[in-house]
Amino acid sequence: ELDTASVKSGVVESRSYHPEYTYTITTFIPAGDILIPQIHTHYVPESWTVTFRGKAKSGADRSRTVSVDRWRYDATEVGSQFNAD
């Protein structure tokens, strides 16, 4: 098992912004001889992630991706040092 969770700091390899979106799932409920559609719409808010590379507890070089808030995302540049704590 990779010990990526033990990587607490390292150099930023990439950062990603994921815009908000919605998606719809339709299921069908049987009612006698017919099927009644049930429509479920889900909202996923915008999010930001940072991927950095550092040393794990095992001593191995590992990458780890963490979710961050917008402020921290804006303040983080690729190639800079990042601390996940």
Side-chain angles (χ1 to χ4, degrees):
E1 178 180 325
L2 296 178
D3 52 350
T4 57
S6 71
V7 179
K8 301 297 182 194
S9 64
V11 176
V12 176
E13 294 182 314
S14 65
R15 43 185 231 140
S16 298
Y17 168 70
H18 310 277
E20 67 182 39
Y21 64 95
T22 58
Y23 64 95
T24 303
I25 297 175
T26 303
T27 57
F28 295 90
I29 307 286
D33 293 339
I34 63 170
L35 294 175
I36 300 174
Q38 296 285 312
I39 299 171
H40 306 275
T41 300
H42 300 272
Y43 168 75
V44 179
E46 65 185 345
S47 64
W48 303 266
T49 59
V50 171
T51 299
F52 61 98
R53 180 170 290 276
K55 294 287 183 191
K57 284 185 180 178
S58 66
D61 198 30
R62 299 274 191 249
S63 287
R64 180 178 175 196
T65 300
V66 294
S67 294
V68 294
D69 59 23
R70 182 177 180 174
W71 177 86
R72 192 153 189 206
Y73 176 84
D74 288 341
T76 303
E77 295 183 17
V78 172
S80 66
Q81 190 68 24
F82 184 83
N83 187 343
D85 291 335

Coordinates of all heavy atoms in Angstrom, one line a residue:
E1 N 0.8 -1.2 0.0 CA 0.0 0.0 0.0 C 0.9 1.2 0.0 O 1.8 1.3 0.7 CB -0.9 0.0 1.2 CG -1.8 1.2 1.4 CD -2.7 1.1 2.6 OE1 -3.1 0.0 3.0 OE2 -2.9 2.2 3.2
L2 N 0.5 2.2 -0.8 CA 1.3 3.4 -0.9 C 1.0 4.3 0.3 O -0.2 4.3 0.8 CB 1.0 4.2 -2.1 CG 1.4 3.6 -3.5 CD1 0.9 4.4 -4.6 CD2 2.8 3.3 -3.5
D3 N 2.0 4.9 0.9 CA 1.8 5.7 2.1 C 1.7 7.2 1.8 O 2.4 8.0 2.4 CB 2.9 5.4 3.1 CG 4.3 5.5 2.5 OD1 4.4 5.7 1.3 OD2 5.2 5.5 3.3
T4 N 0.9 7.5 0.8 CA 0.8 8.9 0.4 C 0.3 9.9 1.5 O 0.6 11.0 1.5 CB -0.1 9.1 -0.9 OG1 -1.4 8.6 -0.6 CG2 0.5 8.4 -2.1
A5 N -0.6 9.4 2.3 CA -1.2 10.2 3.4 C -0.1 10.7 4.4 O -0.3 11.7 5.1 CB -2.3 9.5 4.1
S6 N 1.0 10.0 4.5 CA 2.1 10.4 5.4 C 2.9 11.5 4.8 O 3.8 12.1 5.5 CB 3.0 9.2 5.8 OG 3.8 8.8 4.7
V7 N 2.7 11.9 3.5 CA 3.5 13.0 2.9 C 2.8 14.3 3.4 O 1.7 14.6 3.1 CB 3.4 12.9 1.4 CG1 4.2 14.1 0.8 CG2 4.0 11.6 0.9
K8 N 3.6 15.1 4.2 CA 3.0 16.3 4.8 C 3.4 17.5 4.2 O 2.8 18.6 4.3 CB 3.4 16.3 6.3 CG 2.9 15.2 7.1 CD 1.4 15.1 7.2 CE 1.0 13.9 8.0 NZ -0.4 13.6 7.9
S9 N 4.6 17.5 3.4 CA 5.0 18.7 2.8 C 5.9 18.3 1.6 O 6.3 17.2 1.4 CB 5.8 19.6 3.7 OG 7.0 18.9 4.1
G10 N 6.1 19.3 0.7 CA 6.9 19.0 -0.5 C 6.7 20.1 -1.5 O 6.2 21.2 -1.2
V11 N 7.2 19.9 -2.8 CA 7.1 20.8 -3.8 C 5.9 20.7 -4.7 O 5.6 19.5 -5.1 CB 8.4 20.7 -4.7 CG1 8.4 21.7 -5.9 CG2 9.7 21.0 -3.9
V12 N 5.2 21.7 -5.0 CA 4.0 21.7 -5.7 C 4.2 21.3 -7.2 O 5.1 21.9 -7.9 CB 3.2 23.1 -5.7 CG1 2.0 23.0 -6.6 CG2 2.9 23.4 -4.3
E13 N 3.6 20.2 -7.6 CA 3.7 19.7 -9.0 C 2.6 20.3 -9.9 O 2.9 20.6 -11.1 CB 3.6 18.2 -9.0 CG 4.7 17.5 -8.3 CD 4.6 16.0 -8.5 OE1 3.5 15.4 -8.2 OE2 5.6 15.3 -8.8
S14 N 1.4 20.4 -9.3 CA 0.3 20.9 -10.1 C -0.8 21.4 -9.2 O -0.8 21.1 -8.0 CB -0.3 19.9 -11.1 OG -0.8 18.8 -10.3
R15 N -1.7 22.2 -9.8 CA -2.9 22.6 -9.0 C -4.1 22.6 -10.0 O -3.9 22.8 -11.2 CB -2.7 24.0 -8.4 CG -2.0 25.0 -9.3 CD -1.7 26.3 -8.6 NE -2.2 27.3 -9.5 CZ -2.8 28.4 -9.2 NH1 -3.0 28.7 -7.9 NH2 -3.3 29.3 -10.0
S16 N -5.3 22.3 -9.5 CA -6.4 22.2 -10.4 C -7.6 22.9 -9.8 O -7.9 22.9 -8.6 CB -6.8 20.7 -10.6 OG -5.7 20.1 -11.2
Y17 N -8.4 23.5 -10.7 CA -9.7 24.1 -10.3 C -10.8 23.3 -11.0 O -10.6 22.9 -12.2 CB -9.7 25.6 -10.9 CG -11.1 26.2 -10.8 CD1 -11.7 26.5 -9.6 CD2 -11.9 26.4 -12.0 CE1 -13.0 27.0 -9.5 CE2 -13.1 26.9 -11.9 CZ -13.7 27.2 -10.7 OH -15.0 27.7 -10.6
H18 N -11.8 23.0 -10.2 CA -12.9 22.2 -10.7 C -14.2 23.0 -10.6 O -14.6 23.3 -9.4 CB -13.0 20.9 -9.9 CG -11.7 20.2 -9.8 ND1 -11.2 19.3 -10.8 CD2 -10.8 20.2 -8.8 CE1 -10.1 18.8 -10.4 NE2 -9.7 19.3 -9.2
P19 N -14.7 23.5 -11.7 CA -15.9 24.4 -11.6 C -17.1 23.6 -11.0 O -17.2 22.4 -11.1 CB -16.1 24.8 -13.0 CG -15.4 23.9 -13.9 CD -14.3 23.3 -13.1
E20 N -18.1 24.4 -10.5 CA -19.3 23.8 -10.0 C -20.1 23.2 -11.2 O -19.9 23.6 -12.3 CB -20.1 24.8 -9.3 CG -20.7 25.9 -10.1 CD -21.5 26.9 -9.4 OE1 -21.1 27.3 -8.3 OE2 -22.5 27.4 -9.9
Y21 N -20.9 22.2 -10.9 CA -21.7 21.6 -11.9 C -22.9 20.8 -11.3 O -22.9 20.6 -10.0 CB -20.9 20.7 -12.8 CG -20.4 19.4 -12.1 CD1 -21.0 18.2 -12.2 CD2 -19.1 19.5 -11.5 CE1 -20.5 17.1 -11.5 CE2 -18.6 18.4 -10.9 CZ -19.3 17.2 -10.9 OH -18.8 16.1 -10.3
T22 N -23.9 20.5 -12.1 CA -25.0 19.7 -11.6 C -25.1 18.5 -12.5 O -24.7 18.6 -13.7 CB -26.3 20.5 -11.6 OG1 -26.6 20.9 -12.9 CG2 -26.3 21.6 -10.6
Y23 N -25.6 17.4 -12.0 CA -25.9 16.3 -12.9 C -27.2 15.7 -12.4 O -27.7 15.9 -11.3 CB -24.8 15.2 -12.8 CG -24.5 14.6 -11.5 CD1 -25.1 13.4 -11.2 CD2 -23.7 15.2 -10.6 CE1 -24.9 12.8 -10.0 CE2 -23.4 14.6 -9.3 CZ -24.0 13.4 -9.1 OH -23.8 12.8 -7.9
T24 N -27.9 15.0 -13.3 CA -29.2 14.5 -13.1 C -29.2 13.0 -13.3 O -28.6 12.5 -14.2 CB -30.2 15.1 -14.0 OG1 -30.2 16.5 -13.8 CG2 -31.6 14.6 -13.7
I25 N -29.8 12.3 -12.3 CA -30.0 10.8 -12.4 C -31.5 10.5 -12.5 O -32.2 11.1 -11.7 CB -29.4 10.1 -11.2 CG1 -27.8 10.3 -11.2 CG2 -29.7 8.6 -11.2 CD1 -27.2 9.8 -10.0
T26 N -31.9 9.7 -13.4 CA -33.3 9.3 -13.5 C -33.4 7.9 -13.1 O -32.7 7.0 -13.7 CB -33.8 9.5 -14.9 OG1 -33.6 10.9 -15.3 CG2 -35.3 9.2 -15.0
T27 N -34.3 7.6 -12.2 CA -34.6 6.2 -11.8 C -36.1 6.0 -12.1 O -36.8 6.9 -12.2 CB -34.2 5.9 -10.3 OG1 -35.0 6.8 -9.5 CG2 -32.8 6.1 -10.1
F28 N -36.4 4.7 -12.2 CA -37.8 4.4 -12.5 C -38.4 3.5 -11.4 O -37.8 2.5 -11.0 CB -37.9 3.7 -13.8 CG -37.5 4.6 -15.0 CD1 -36.2 4.7 -15.4 CD2 -38.5 5.4 -15.6 CE1 -35.9 5.5 -16.4 CE2 -38.1 6.3 -16.6 CZ -36.8 6.3 -17.0
I29 N -39.6 3.9 -10.9 CA -40.3 3.2 -9.8 C -41.5 2.5 -10.5 O -42.3 3.1 -11.1 CB -40.9 4.2 -8.8 CG1 -39.8 5.1 -8.3 CG2 -41.6 3.5 -7.7 CD1 -38.8 4.5 -7.3
P30 N -41.5 1.2 -10.3 CA -42.7 0.4 -10.8 C -44.0 0.8 -10.1 O -44.0 0.9 -8.9 CB -42.3 -1.0 -10.7 CG -41.2 -1.1 -9.6 CD -40.6 0.3 -9.6
A31 N -45.0 1.0 -10.9 CA -46.4 1.3 -10.3 C -47.4 0.5 -11.2 O -47.8 1.0 -12.2 CB -46.7 2.8 -10.3
G32 N -47.6 -0.7 -10.8 CA -48.5 -1.5 -11.6 C -47.8 -1.9 -12.9 O -46.7 -2.5 -12.9
D33 N -48.5 -1.6 -14.0 CA -47.9 -1.9 -15.3 C -47.0 -0.8 -15.9 O -46.6 -1.0 -17.1 CB -49.1 -2.2 -16.3 CG -49.8 -3.5 -15.9 OD1 -49.2 -4.3 -15.2 OD2 -51.0 -3.6 -16.4
I34 N -46.8 0.3 -15.2 CA -46.0 1.4 -15.7 C -44.8 1.7 -14.8 O -44.8 1.2 -13.7 CB -46.9 2.6 -15.9 CG1 -47.4 3.1 -14.6 CG2 -48.0 2.4 -16.9 CD1 -48.0 4.5 -14.6
L35 N -43.9 2.4 -15.4 CA -42.8 2.9 -14.6 C -42.9 4.4 -14.5 O -43.0 5.1 -15.5 CB -41.5 2.5 -15.3 CG -41.2 1.0 -15.4 CD1 -39.9 0.8 -16.2 CD2 -41.0 0.4 -14.0
I36 N -42.7 4.9 -13.3 CA -42.8 6.3 -13.0 C -41.4 6.8 -12.8 O -40.6 6.3 -12.0 CB -43.6 6.6 -11.8 CG1 -45.0 6.1 -12.0 CG2 -43.6 8.1 -11.5 CD1 -45.9 6.2 -10.8
P37 N -41.0 7.8 -13.7 CA -39.6 8.3 -13.5 C -39.5 9.2 -12.3 O -40.4 10.0 -11.9 CB -39.4 9.2 -14.8 CG -40.8 9.5 -15.2 CD -41.7 8.4 -14.8
Q38 N -38.3 9.0 -11.6 CA -38.0 9.8 -10.5 C -36.7 10.6 -10.9 O -35.7 9.9 -11.2 CB -37.7 9.0 -9.2 CG -38.9 8.2 -8.7 CD -39.9 9.2 -8.0 OE1 -39.5 10.0 -7.2 NE2 -41.1 9.1 -8.4
I39 N -36.7 11.9 -10.9 CA -35.6 12.6 -11.3 C -34.9 13.2 -10.1 O -35.5 13.9 -9.3 CB -36.0 13.7 -12.3 CG1 -36.6 13.1 -13.5 CG2 -34.8 14.6 -12.7 CD1 -37.3 14.0 -14.5
H40 N -33.6 13.0 -10.0 CA -32.8 13.5 -8.9 C -31.6 14.4 -9.5 O -30.8 13.9 -10.2 CB -32.1 12.3 -8.1 CG -33.2 11.3 -7.6 ND1 -33.9 11.5 -6.5 CD2 -33.6 10.2 -8.2 CE1 -34.7 10.4 -6.3 NE2 -34.5 9.6 -7.4
T41 N -31.6 15.6 -9.1 CA -30.6 16.5 -9.5 C -29.6 16.8 -8.4 O -30.0 17.1 -7.2 CB -31.2 17.9 -10.0 OG1 -32.1 17.6 -11.1 CG2 -30.1 18.8 -10.5
H42 N -28.3 16.6 -8.7 CA -27.3 16.8 -7.6 C -26.4 18.0 -8.0 O -26.0 18.1 -9.2 CB -26.4 15.5 -7.5 CG -27.2 14.3 -7.1 ND1 -27.5 14.0 -5.8 CD2 -27.9 13.4 -7.9 CE1 -28.2 12.9 -5.8 NE2 -28.5 12.5 -7.0
Y43 N -26.1 18.8 -7.0 CA -25.2 19.9 -7.2 C -23.8 19.6 -6.6 O -23.7 19.1 -5.5 CB -25.8 21.2 -6.5 CG -24.8 22.3 -6.4 CD1 -24.5 23.1 -7.5 CD2 -24.2 22.6 -5.2 CE1 -23.7 24.2 -7.4 CE2 -23.4 23.7 -5.1 CZ -23.1 24.5 -6.2 OH -22.2 25.5 -6.1
V44 N -22.8 19.9 -7.4 CA -21.4 19.7 -6.9 C -20.7 21.1 -6.9 O -20.6 21.7 -8.0 CB -20.6 18.7 -7.8 CG1 -19.2 18.5 -7.3 CG2 -21.3 17.3 -7.8
P45 N -20.3 21.6 -5.7 CA -19.7 22.9 -5.7 C -18.3 23.0 -6.3 O -17.7 21.9 -6.5 CB -19.7 23.2 -4.2 CG -19.6 21.9 -3.5 CD -20.4 21.0 -4.4
E46 N -17.9 24.2 -6.6 CA -16.5 24.3 -7.1 C -15.5 23.9 -6.1 O -15.8 23.9 -4.9 CB -16.3 25.7 -7.6 CG -16.3 26.8 -6.5 CD -16.1 28.2 -7.0 OE1 -15.7 28.4 -8.2 OE2 -16.4 29.1 -6.3
S47 N -14.4 23.4 -6.6 CA -13.3 23.0 -5.6 C -12.0 23.2 -6.2 O -11.8 23.4 -7.4 CB -13.5 21.5 -5.3 OG -13.4 20.7 -6.4
W48 N -10.9 23.1 -5.4 CA -9.6 23.4 -5.8 C -8.7 22.3 -5.1 O -8.9 21.9 -4.0 CB -9.1 24.7 -5.2 CG -10.0 25.9 -5.7 CD1 -9.8 26.7 -6.8 CD2 -11.2 26.4 -5.1 NE1 -10.8 27.6 -6.9 CE2 -11.6 27.4 -5.9 CE3 -11.9 26.0 -4.0 CZ2 -12.8 28.1 -5.6 CZ3 -13.1 26.7 -3.7 CH2 -13.5 27.7 -4.5
T49 N -7.7 21.8 -5.9 CA -6.8 20.8 -5.4 C -5.3 21.2 -5.7 O -5.1 21.9 -6.7 CB -7.0 19.4 -5.9 OG1 -6.9 19.5 -7.4 CG2 -8.4 18.9 -5.6
V50 N -4.4 20.8 -4.9 CA -3.0 21.0 -5.0 C -2.3 19.6 -5.0 O -2.6 18.8 -4.0 CB -2.4 21.9 -4.0 CG1 -0.9 22.0 -4.0 CG2 -3.0 23.3 -4.1
T51 N -1.4 19.3 -5.9 CA -0.7 18.1 -5.9 C 0.8 18.4 -5.6 O 1.3 19.3 -6.3 CB -0.8 17.3 -7.2 OG1 -2.2 17.0 -7.4 CG2 0.0 16.0 -7.2
F52 N 1.4 17.8 -4.6 CA 2.8 18.1 -4.3 C 3.5 16.8 -4.1 O 2.9 15.7 -3.9 CB 2.9 19.0 -3.0 CG 2.3 18.4 -1.8 CD1 3.1 17.8 -0.9 CD2 0.9 18.4 -1.6 CE1 2.5 17.2 0.3 CE2 0.3 17.9 -0.4 CZ 1.1 17.3 0.5
R53 N 4.8 16.8 -4.2 CA 5.7 15.7 -4.0 C 6.6 15.9 -2.9 O 7.3 16.9 -2.7 CB 6.5 15.4 -5.3 CG 7.4 14.2 -5.2 CD 8.0 13.9 -6.6 NE 7.0 13.3 -7.5 CZ 6.6 12.0 -7.5 NH1 7.2 11.2 -6.7 NH2 5.7 11.6 -8.4
G54 N 6.7 14.8 -2.0 CA 7.6 14.9 -0.8 C 7.9 13.5 -0.4 O 7.6 12.5 -1.0
K55 N 8.5 13.4 0.8 CA 9.0 12.2 1.4 C 7.9 11.6 2.3 O 7.3 12.3 3.1 CB 10.2 12.3 2.2 CG 11.4 12.7 1.4 CD 11.9 11.5 0.6 CE 13.2 11.8 -0.2 NZ 13.5 10.9 -1.2
A56 N 7.6 10.3 2.1 CA 6.6 9.6 3.0 C 7.4 9.1 4.2 O 8.6 9.2 4.3 CB 6.0 8.5 2.2
K57 N 6.6 8.6 5.2 CA 7.3 8.1 6.4 C 8.2 6.9 6.1 O 9.2 6.7 6.7 CB 6.2 7.6 7.4 CG 5.5 8.6 8.2 CD 4.6 8.1 9.2 CE 3.9 9.2 9.9 NZ 2.9 8.7 10.9
S58 N 7.9 6.2 5.0 CA 8.8 5.1 4.6 C 10.1 5.6 4.0 O 11.0 4.8 3.7 CB 8.1 4.2 3.6 OG 7.8 5.0 2.4
G59 N 10.2 6.9 3.7 CA 11.4 7.4 3.0 C 11.2 7.5 1.5 O 12.1 8.1 0.8
A60 N 10.1 6.9 1.0 CA 9.9 6.9 -0.4 C 9.4 8.3 -0.9 O 8.7 9.0 -0.2 CB 8.9 5.9 -0.8
D61 N 9.7 8.6 -2.1 CA 9.3 9.9 -2.8 C 7.9 9.7 -3.3 O 7.7 8.8 -4.1 CB 10.2 10.3 -3.9 CG 10.1 11.7 -4.3 OD1 9.8 12.5 -3.5 OD2 10.4 12.0 -5.5
R62 N 6.9 10.4 -2.8 CA 5.5 10.2 -3.2 C 4.8 11.5 -3.5 O 5.1 12.6 -3.0 CB 4.7 9.6 -2.1 CG 5.2 8.2 -1.6 CD 4.6 7.1 -2.5 NE 4.9 5.8 -1.9 CZ 5.7 5.0 -2.5 NH1 6.2 5.2 -3.6 NH2 5.9 3.8 -1.9
S63 N 3.8 11.4 -4.4 CA 2.9 12.6 -4.7 C 1.6 12.5 -3.9 O 1.1 11.3 -3.6 CB 2.5 12.6 -6.2 OG 3.6 13.0 -6.9
R64 N 1.1 13.6 -3.5 CA -0.2 13.6 -2.7 C -1.0 14.8 -3.2 O -0.5 15.9 -3.5 CB 0.1 13.8 -1.2 CG -1.2 13.8 -0.4 CD -0.8 13.9 1.1 NE -2.0 14.1 1.9 CZ -2.0 14.5 3.1 NH1 -0.9 14.8 3.8 NH2 -3.2 14.6 3.8
T65 N -2.3 14.5 -3.4 CA -3.2 15.6 -3.8 C -4.2 15.9 -2.6 O -4.8 15.0 -2.1 CB -4.0 15.1 -5.0 OG1 -3.1 14.8 -6.1 CG2 -5.0 16.2 -5.5
V66 N -4.3 17.2 -2.3 CA -5.2 17.6 -1.2 C -6.2 18.7 -1.7 O -5.8 19.4 -2.6 CB -4.4 18.1 0.0 CG1 -3.6 17.0 0.6 CG2 -3.5 19.3 -0.4
S67 N -7.3 18.7 -1.1 CA -8.3 19.8 -1.4 C -7.9 21.0 -0.6 O -7.5 20.9 0.6 CB -9.7 19.3 -1.0 OG -10.1 18.3 -1.8
V68 N -8.0 22.2 -1.2 CA -7.7 23.4 -0.5 C -8.8 24.4 -0.8 O -9.6 24.2 -1.7 CB -6.3 24.0 -1.0 CG1 -5.2 23.1 -0.6 CG2 -6.3 24.3 -2.5
D69 N -8.9 25.5 0.1 CA -9.8 26.5 -0.2 C -9.3 27.5 -1.3 O -8.1 27.4 -1.7 CB -10.2 27.3 1.1 CG -9.0 28.0 1.7 OD1 -8.0 28.2 1.1 OD2 -9.1 28.2 2.9
R70 N -10.2 28.3 -1.8 CA -9.8 29.2 -2.9 C -8.6 30.1 -2.5 O -7.7 30.4 -3.3 CB -11.0 30.1 -3.3 CG -10.6 30.9 -4.5 CD -11.8 31.7 -4.9 NE -11.5 32.6 -6.1 CZ -12.3 33.3 -6.8 NH1 -13.6 33.2 -6.5 NH2 -11.9 34.0 -7.8
W71 N -8.6 30.6 -1.3 CA -7.5 31.5 -0.8 C -6.2 30.8 -0.9 O -5.2 31.3 -1.5 CB -7.8 32.0 0.6 CG -6.6 32.8 1.1 CD1 -6.5 34.2 0.9 CD2 -5.5 32.4 1.8 NE1 -5.3 34.6 1.5 CE2 -4.7 33.5 2.1 CE3 -5.1 31.1 2.3 CZ2 -3.5 33.4 2.8 CZ3 -3.9 31.1 3.0 CH2 -3.1 32.2 3.2
R72 N -6.1 29.6 -0.4 CA -4.8 28.8 -0.4 C -4.4 28.4 -1.9 O -3.3 28.4 -2.2 CB -5.0 27.6 0.4 CG -3.6 26.9 0.7 CD -3.6 26.2 2.0 NE -2.3 25.8 2.3 CZ -2.0 24.7 3.0 NH1 -2.9 24.0 3.6 NH2 -0.7 24.4 3.3
Y73 N -5.4 28.1 -2.7 CA -5.2 27.8 -4.1 C -4.5 29.0 -4.8 O -3.5 28.8 -5.5 CB -6.5 27.4 -4.8 CG -6.4 27.1 -6.2 CD1 -5.9 25.9 -6.7 CD2 -6.7 28.1 -7.2 CE1 -5.8 25.7 -8.1 CE2 -6.6 27.9 -8.5 CZ -6.1 26.7 -9.0 OH -6.0 26.4 -10.3
D74 N -5.1 30.2 -4.6 CA -4.6 31.4 -5.2 C -3.2 31.7 -4.8 O -2.4 32.3 -5.5 CB -5.5 32.6 -5.0 CG -6.8 32.4 -5.8 OD1 -6.9 31.7 -6.8 OD2 -7.8 33.1 -5.4
A75 N -2.9 31.4 -3.5 CA -1.6 31.7 -2.9 C -0.5 30.7 -3.2 O 0.7 30.9 -2.9 CB -1.7 31.8 -1.4
T76 N -0.9 29.6 -3.9 CA 0.1 28.5 -4.2 C 0.5 28.5 -5.6 O -0.4 28.5 -6.5 CB -0.6 27.1 -3.8 OG1 -1.0 27.2 -2.5 CG2 0.4 26.0 -4.1
E77 N 1.8 28.4 -5.9 CA 2.3 28.3 -7.2 C 3.0 27.0 -7.5 O 3.6 26.5 -6.6 CB 3.3 29.5 -7.5 CG 2.6 30.9 -7.4 CD 3.5 32.0 -7.8 OE1 4.6 31.7 -8.3 OE2 3.2 33.1 -7.4
V78 N 3.0 26.5 -8.7 CA 3.7 25.3 -9.1 C 5.2 25.6 -8.9 O 5.7 26.7 -9.2 CB 3.4 24.9 -10.6 CG1 4.3 23.8 -11.0 CG2 2.0 24.6 -10.7
G79 N 5.9 24.6 -8.2 CA 7.3 24.8 -7.9 C 7.6 25.3 -6.5 O 8.7 25.3 -6.1
S80 N 6.5 25.8 -5.8 CA 6.7 26.4 -4.5 C 6.6 25.3 -3.5 O 6.2 24.2 -3.7 CB 5.7 27.5 -4.2 OG 4.4 26.9 -4.2
Q81 N 7.1 25.6 -2.3 CA 7.0 24.6 -1.1 C 5.6 24.6 -0.6 O 4.9 25.7 -0.6 CB 8.0 25.0 0.0 CG 8.1 24.0 1.0 CD 8.8 22.7 0.6 OE1 9.6 22.7 -0.4 NE2 8.6 21.6 1.2
F82 N 5.0 23.4 -0.2 CA 3.7 23.3 0.3 C 3.7 22.5 1.5 O 4.3 21.5 1.6 CB 2.8 22.7 -0.8 CG 1.3 22.6 -0.4 CD1 0.5 23.7 -0.6 CD2 0.8 21.5 0.2 CE1 -0.8 23.6 -0.3 CE2 -0.5 21.4 0.5 CZ -1.4 22.5 0.3
N83 N 2.9 22.9 2.5 CA 2.7 22.2 3.8 C 1.3 21.9 3.9 O 0.4 22.8 4.0 CB 3.2 23.0 4.9 CG 3.3 22.3 6.2 OD1 2.6 21.2 6.4 ND2 4.0 22.8 7.2
A84 N 0.9 20.6 4.0 CA -0.4 20.1 4.1 C -1.1 20.3 5.5 O -2.3 20.1 5.6 CB -0.6 18.7 3.6
D85 N -0.3 20.6 6.5 CA -0.9 20.7 7.8 C -1.5 22.1 8.0 O -1.3 23.0 7.4 CB 0.2 20.5 8.9 CG 0.6 19.0 8.9 OD1 -0.2 18.2 8.5 OD2 1.8 18.8 9.3

